Amino acid sequence: MGPRKRSQRGLQDLVVKQARTEQSGWTGVNERTFIAVKPDGVQRRLVGQIVRRFEKKGFKLVGLKLVQASEDLLREHYWDLRSKPFFSGLITYMSSGPVVAMVWQGLDVVKTARKMLGETNPADSLPGTIRGDYCVEVGRNVIHGSDSVSSAQKEISLWFPQNELQCWEHSCNSWIYN
Ligand SMILES: Nc1ncnc2c1ncn2[C@@H]1O[C@H](COP(=O)(O)OP(=O)(O)OP(=O)(O)O)[C@@H](O)[C@H]1O
């Protein structure tokens, strides 16, 4: 089979895969995750490097904005951590400057993005991960990524109204998915 036919076949398979997953929501290639470059990542000019990693991986950007998050929004976002001793410091840190809020889409994007981020504590993160390469302390760990598909759905609806998310086709989809 020539490259053109293979590409058309890949595209057909992808359309079928997408049709299947659209019925069941954000699963398969339509899975989405919420990623935020935290205020330290923005101040340290890491936004471009971080976006580049997700783009190069093959994920699709469907939402992006620079936002000064309110304390109310952040308290809601980190509600599960409200009883932790570092909670108020975390809210102060996260509201200390703008964050770059993003939604990325693709197959297994939630799990894969967490691997790309590294561990919560940069000291435990391997070189090659974002936290392994760009930061030192847990309280300044430059990036957030949803930890499950259900958290991703909750966080995306918290940070992005539906009309700020774009539906578009990657022109190179058939070279990313078979
Ligand atoms: N011991 C700590 N001291 C200070 N800050 C902490 C500590 N543990 C966690 N944090 C902060 O709280 C954030 C949320 O912690 P969580 O345990 O949910 O980790 P995570 O899911 O890896 O991080 P995130 O939700 O930001 O992606 C961490 O990313 C970090 O910024």
Side-chain angles (χ1 to χ4, degrees), residues 38 78 81 86 90 93 114 120 131 138-139 141 143-145:
K38 296 179 176 181
Y78 282 123
L81 301 176
F86 56 82
L90 176 60
Y93 157 48
R114 292 283 290 190
T120 305
R131 288 168 176 161
V138 68
N141 62 357
I143 188 164
H144 162 81

Side-chain angles (χ1 to χ4, degrees), residues 34 36 38 77-78 80-81 84-87 89-90 93-94 114 117-121 131 137-147 155:
F34 176 69
K38 296 179 176 181
H77 176 89
Y78 282 123
D80 292 350
L81 301 176
K84 299 283 182 191
F86 56 82
F87 184 72
L90 176 60
Y93 157 48
M94 288 296 293
R114 292 283 290 190
L117 263 59
E119 300 301 319
T120 305
N121 188 343
R131 288 168 176 161
E137 269 207 310
V138 68
R140 295 288 183 274
N141 62 357
V142 303
I143 188 164
H144 162 81
S146 308
D147 61 6
E155 292 170 2

Side-chain angles (χ1 to χ4, degrees), residues 6-44:
R6 191 162 48 229
S7 153
Q8 281 171 346
R9 171 90 190 284
L11 210 55
Q12 279 166 5
D13 288 349
L14 187 67
V15 169
V16 171
K17 238 188 230 175
Q18 270 178 338
R20 257 193 239 126
T21 54
E22 265 160 22
Q23 289 162 9
S24 52
W26 290 349
T27 57
V29 297
N30 290 327
E31 186 173 301
R32 289 178 175 182
T33 194
F34 176 69
I35 299 292
V37 183
K38 296 179 176 181
D40 49 335
V42 175
Q43 292 286 351
R44 294 183 50 215

